[in-house]
C-alpha cells in the first residue's frame, strides 16, 4: 500500500503521488508572529510535521517551506501601539515561535518572511493588473477582481455566482460568507508602516504573501499546501485565484487541512479562560513530549479534544514507551531468538505503516506500537525475549519515533529553558511547583543515568555495596527508581 490522503480540493481520499519522482514539495502557512503560539496552532503544525516525517520515512525527499507572516493588520497596529518598528515587534515572536516549534519536536522547514520579498509581491500585483485580474483604487490600493476568476470557490465549495462585481473588502480576515474583491496590496495609512515599490507605497496583503513565496520556493505547481481548516476560505481560495490567474497553471495538487481543536470540549478562547500557549502548559509542569504525543494522538481530520486528563495519559504513554526501550537496551537476555518476537516486530511495522498510509491515521499507529509493547512486556516476564529479538524490537521503536519524535528524553532541559524565560519576563508567579519538580527530576538525562547504573553494576560486581547504595540513593534523589533483580538492574523515572 502507499500513502492515501484526503484532498480538500476533491473532497476525497486519493493516492498520493508527487509531481516529481520521489520528491515532495510542500508549503504550510506559518504563524502570524504577533503573539506566542497556542496549542491550536501547534495542533496544525505538529500534524504537518508528522506528515513531513512520514513522507521521508516513505522514501521521499521533502522540500517543506513555511512562511512567517511578519506584516499584517494586527502586527502593524500592535507595533504602532508599542512605539516600535514592525521588525522589532515581530522578531521577538518569531524567535519564540521557532523555540517552541523545536521544543515540541517540529523539524524546521525552510522559512520565508513576507517582509523580505516585497518587491516580488509588487511585481506580481503589476502583472495581475496587466492581465486584467486586478485593479487599482483611488487611494493606491490594489484588489483582485474575483469575477474574472469563475472557479472562485472551488476549494471551499461555495457558490459565488450571485456576488456583486466590484464589492470590496480590505481587511485580511473577513466575513466568511461574503465574497468580495480582496486586497492584494494596501495603500499606506497615516502612522502605519509601509514600503516603497514599483506599484507605489504600501504593503502586501496576507494572501498575496503566500502565493508569491510558495511559488518562488517550490515552482508554479507543487504537491501539497497545508494549514488549519480556517484557512480554506478565504485564505487558500484567494491564494488559488491569485496564483492560477498569474500562471495559468494549476497551483497545488493536494490541499491538507487540520481540524480545529477543542479544549475541554469547548472552542478555545481567551474569554472562556481555556486558551493556552505551549509555554502556559509547560509552566504548569507538562512535558513537551506529552503535549506532542497528545496532539499527535488524534488523526488530523478528526476533532481533537484537548483535556488535562488526556495530557496526563499522554505522559504515561510516553513513559511506557521510554521504559520499554530502556528495558530492551539495558536488560540481560538469554541467547538465541524467539520467532514469535520476530513476527511481533514485523507485524508492528506493517500495522504502523498501514495506519499512516491510511490518511495519516496516527491513532492507529500509536495503537499498533502499544500492542507490540504489551505483548513484548508479557514475554519479558516469562523469559520469552531472547538476545536476537532485541534489535528488531528496538528498530520498531526507532521507526515509530522517526515520525512521532517523543522518545528522546530531553524534556528536562527544554522545561528549564521555559522556566528561565518566565523568570526573565517577570512571570515567576506562573512557574508551578510541578514545573520546578519536573526540572529537578529531569536534570539527569538517560545517558547520565545509564552511567550511574553502569557504575552501580561495577561496584556490585566487586561487592562494593556501599558505593552501589550511595549511587542508588543519588538516583532516588533525582526521581529515579532503581530495581535490582536477578537479571540485572532496571530503572525508571518516578
Ligand atoms: P495563525 O498564526 O493564526 O495564522 O495560525 C497559524 C496556523 O494555526 C494556521 O494554519 C491556522 O489554521 C492554525 N490554527 C489556528 N487556530 C487553530 C486551532 N484552534 N486548531 C487548529 N489549528 C489552528
Ligand atoms: Zn498562507
Amino acid at each position: 500500500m502507499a500513502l492515501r490522503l484526503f484532498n480538500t480540493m476533491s473532497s476525497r481520499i486519493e493516492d498520493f503521488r508527487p509531481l516529481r519522482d520521489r520528491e515532495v514539495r510542500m508549503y504550510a502557512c506559518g504563524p502570524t508572529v504577533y503573539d506566542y503560539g497556542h496549542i491550536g496552532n501547534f495542533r496544525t503544525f505538529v500534524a504537518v510535521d508528522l506528515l513531513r516525517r512520514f513522507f521521508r520515512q516513505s522514501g521521499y525527499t521533502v522540500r517543506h517551506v513555511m512562511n512567517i507572516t511578519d506584516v499584517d493588520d494586527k502586527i502593524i497596529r500592535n507595533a504602532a501601539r508599542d512605539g516600535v518598528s514592525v521588525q522589532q515587534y515581530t522578531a521577538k515572536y518569531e524567535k519564540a515561535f521557532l523555540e517552541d516549534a523545536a521544543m515540541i519536536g517540529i523539524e524546521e522547514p525552510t522559512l520565508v518572511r513576507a517582509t523580505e520579498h516585497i518587491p516580488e509581491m509588487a511585481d506580481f500585483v503589476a502583472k495581475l493588473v496587466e492581465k486584467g485580474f486586478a485593479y487599482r483604487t483611488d487611494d493606491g490600493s490594489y484588489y483582485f477582481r474575483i469575477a474574472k476568476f469563475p472557479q472562485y470557490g472551488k476549494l471551499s465549495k461555495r457558490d459565488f455566482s450571485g456576488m456583486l462585481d466590484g464589492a470590496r473588502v480590505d481587511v485580511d480576515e473577513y466575513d466568511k460568507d461574503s465574497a468580495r474583491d480582496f486586497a492584494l496590496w494596501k495603500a499606506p495609512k497615516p502612522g502605519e508602516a509601509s514600503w516603497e515599490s514599483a506599484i507605489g507605497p504600501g504593503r502586501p496583503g496576507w494572501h498575496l504573501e503566500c502565493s508569491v513565496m510558495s511559488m518562488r520556493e517550490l515552482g508554479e505547481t507543487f504537491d501539497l499546501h497545508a494549514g488549519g481548516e480556517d484557512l480554506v476560505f478565504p485564505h487558500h481560495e484567494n491564494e488559488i485565484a491569485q496564483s492560477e490567474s498569474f500562471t495559468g497553471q494549476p497551483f497545488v495538487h493536494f490541499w491538507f487541512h487540520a481540524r480545529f481543536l477543542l479544549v475541554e470540549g469547548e472552542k478555545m478562547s481567551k474569554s472562556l479562560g481555556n486558551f493556552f500557549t505551549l509555554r502556559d502548559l509547560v509552566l504548569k509542569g507538562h512535558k513537551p513530549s506529552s503535549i506532542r504525543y497528545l496532539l499527535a494522538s488524534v488523526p488530523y481530520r478528526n476533532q481533537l479534544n484537548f483535556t488535562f486528563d488526556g495530557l496526563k495519559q499522554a505522559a504515561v504513554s510516553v513513559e511506557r514507551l521510554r521504559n520499554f526501550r530502556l528495558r530492551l537496551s539495558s536488560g540481560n537476555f538469554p541467547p538465541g531468538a524467539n520467532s514469535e518476537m520476530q513476527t511481533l516486530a514485523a507485524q508492528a511495522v506493517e500495522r504502523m505503516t498501514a495506519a499512516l498510509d491510511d490518511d495519516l491515521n496516527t491513532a492507529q499507529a500509536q495503537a499498533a506500537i502499544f500492542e507490540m509493547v504489551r505483548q513484548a512486556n508479557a514475554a519479558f516476564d516469562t523469559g520469552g525475549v531472547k538476545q536476537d529479538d532485541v534489535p528488531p524490537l528496538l528498530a520498531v521503536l526507532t521507526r515509530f519515533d522517526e515520525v512521532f519524535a517523543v522518545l528522546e528524553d530531553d524534556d528536562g532541559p527544554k522545561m528549564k529553558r521555559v522556566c528561565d524565560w518566565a523568570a526573565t519576563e517577570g512571570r515567576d508567579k506562573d512557574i508551578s511547583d510541578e514545573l520546578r519538580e519536573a526540572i529537578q527530576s529531569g536534570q539527569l538525562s538517560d545517558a547520565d543515568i545509564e552511567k550511574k547504573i553502569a557504575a552501580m553494576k561495577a561496584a556490585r560486581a566487586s561487592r562494593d555495596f556501599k558505593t552501589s547504595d550511595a549511587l542508588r540513593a543519588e538516583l532516588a534523589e533525582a526521581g529515579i527508581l532503581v530495581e535490582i533483580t536477578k537479571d540485572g538492574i532496571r530503572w525508571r523515572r518516578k
Side-chain angles (χ1 to χ4, degrees):
M1 223 174 87
L3 177 60
R4 290 169 62 72
L5 271 185
F6 185 82
N7 186 351
T8 311
M9 185 59 90
S10 65
S11 309
R12 282 191 302 112
I13 293 187
E14 297 176 31
D15 289 337
F16 178 83
R17 278 193 209 92
L19 295 155
R20 291 182 190 157
D21 196 31
R22 308 317 293 169
E23 184 191 41
V24 177
R25 287 169 292 160
M26 60 190 275
Y27 181 90
C29 295
T32 306
V33 282
Y34 68 94
D35 206 344
Y36 293 101
H38 57 68
I39 53 174
N41 300 141
F42 284 104
R43 157 66 163 160
T44 294
F45 295 136
V46 166
V48 173
D49 183 66
L50 294 162
L51 176 66
R52 165 201 171 129
R53 286 167 176 270
F54 186 57
F55 276 140
R56 207 177 42 222
Q57 187 171 78
S58 306
Y60 296 112
T61 54
V62 180
R63 285 174 67 199
H64 175 196
V65 176
M66 178 188 265
N67 67 306
I68 300 274
T69 299
D70 57 357
V71 51
D72 86 333
D73 291 341
K74 267 179 279 195
I75 289 173
I76 290 185
R77 207 165 48 227
N78 292 3
R81 179 198 65 200
D82 294 356
V84 294
S85 71
V86 164
Q87 278 82 356
Q88 278 167 324
Y89 185 80
T90 56
K92 169 177 171 178
Y93 293 109
E94 178 182 319
K95 180 168 171 282
F97 168 72
L98 296 178
E99 286 169 3
D100 287 356
M103 173 160 77
I104 199 164
I106 291 174
E107 290 184 327
E108 195 168 298
T110 301
L111 297 171
V112 284
R113 287 172 198 82
T115 56
E116 290 172 3
H117 298 283
I118 293 204
E120 292 147 77
M121 294 178 198
D123 291 347
F124 192 102
V125 174
K127 174 113 182 262
L128 285 179
V129 173
E130 205 182 289
K131 292 181 135 201
F133 289 102
Y135 57 92
R136 184 177 187 276
T137 51
D138 291 343
D139 70 340
S141 296
Y142 291 80
Y143 289 83
F144 186 89
R145 190 188 299 282
I146 62 175
K148 281 281 288 182
F149 189 73
Q151 303 154 54
Y152 193 77
K154 66 179 172 178
L155 181 71
S156 54
K157 313 291 178 290
R158 285 160 200 249
D159 178 7
F160 295 115
S161 50
M163 78 209 162
L164 229 51
D165 185 18
R168 288 192 294 274
V169 63
D170 69 351
V171 291
D172 285 332
E173 289 169 61
Y174 56 91
D175 180 5
K176 302 270 174 203
D177 295 318
S178 64
R180 299 273 190 274
D181 289 356
F182 58 88
L184 295 162
W185 181 267
K186 302 183 192 196
K189 294 204 186 93
E192 285 192 346
S194 71
W195 283 259
E196 286 303 327
S197 83
I199 57 167
R203 66 182 178 88
W206 169 44
H207 315 302
L208 183 71
E209 296 170 15
C210 281
S211 282
V212 172
M213 297 194 295
S214 61
M215 292 198 293
R216 176 184 197 276
E217 298 297 322
L218 298 172
E220 292 184 348
T221 305
F222 55 91
D223 297 301
L224 185 136
H225 198 120
E229 62 175 343
D230 60 322
L231 300 188
V232 174
F233 183 83
H235 184 53
H236 288 161
E237 202 73 74
N238 290 354
E239 283 191 44
I240 293 169
Q242 295 161 158
S243 303
E244 297 191 352
S245 305
F246 184 92
T247 66
Q249 304 294 325
F251 177 39
V252 167
H253 212 172
F254 270 82
W255 288 91
F256 176 97
H257 293 105
R259 184 116 185 244
F260 261 36
L261 59 61
L262 297 179
V263 175
E264 305 281 355
E266 297 197 82
K267 191 167 176 256
M268 183 166 72
S269 82
K270 284 192 174 149
S271 58
L272 284 175
N274 66 355
F275 181 96
F276 299 108
T277 66
L278 196 56
R279 292 175 189 221
D280 290 337
L281 295 181
V282 174
L283 285 173
K284 287 177 185 294
H286 299 288
K287 293 180 180 177
S289 61
S290 322
I291 303 169
R292 181 176 168 100
Y293 190 90
L294 178 59
L295 294 179
S297 66
V298 174
Y300 72 97
R301 282 201 302 131
N302 293 0
Q303 191 146 52
L304 166 70
N305 183 20
F306 186 98
T307 66
F308 284 94
D309 279 347
L311 193 51
K312 283 192 201 121
Q313 197 48 52
V316 171
S317 300
V318 172
E319 257 341 272
R320 254 189 98 197
L321 292 175
R322 289 181 181 175
N323 282 333
F324 176 74
R325 190 170 63 166
L326 275 167
R327 211 172 171 185
L328 282 175
S329 53
S330 62
N332 291 327
F333 301 96
N338 174 356
S339 66
E340 277 178 35
M341 287 301 108
Q342 310 272 331
T343 309
L344 185 64
Q347 262 177 1
V349 169
E350 209 174 287
R351 284 186 190 152
M352 239 159 48
T353 309
L356 295 174
D357 272 340
D358 180 14
D359 198 22
L360 211 65
N361 193 331
T362 45
Q364 287 292 332
Q366 290 179 346
I369 194 112
F370 273 99
E371 183 53 26
M372 180 190 88
V373 170
R374 194 184 63 75
Q375 293 195 33
N377 267 331
F380 270 131
D381 299 335
T382 55
V385 180
K386 307 280 197 279
Q387 268 167 26
D388 296 348
D389 304 331
V390 172
L393 289 170
L394 278 176
V396 182
L397 288 175
T398 303
R399 194 176 166 85
F400 173 84
D401 214 45
E402 280 169 9
V403 176
F404 286 91
V406 291
L407 293 184
E408 193 185 333
D409 193 357
D410 55 1
D411 291 299
K414 288 174 170 175
M415 294 169 92
K416 180 152 188 327
R417 278 197 286 277
V418 173
C419 191
D420 294 345
W421 160 81
T424 57
E425 290 278 308
R427 290 185 58 180
D428 294 78
K429 64 170 183 3
D430 296 333
I431 304 172
S432 63
D433 292 344
E434 287 82 0
L435 176 59
R436 292 188 198 281
E437 270 166 37
I439 290 171
Q440 228 186 358
S441 69
Q443 289 294 342
L444 289 182
S445 70
D446 281 4
D448 294 335
I449 299 167
E450 288 296 347
K451 268 189 221 138
K452 288 190 196 292
I453 298 284
M456 264 183 85
K457 281 183 184 159
R460 294 178 66 80
S462 54
R463 308 195 65 74
D464 177 3
F465 296 110
K466 204 167 147 221
T467 303
S468 165
D469 286 348
L471 284 163
R472 190 179 194 172
E474 220 177 280
L475 285 163
E477 185 76 13
I480 312 299
L481 273 184
V482 177
E483 199 186 329
I484 299 169
T485 70
K486 63 173 176 25
D487 299 331
I489 301 180
R490 286 212 296 257
W491 65 269
R492 64 185 170 85
R493 293 177 194 279
K494 265 193 258 187

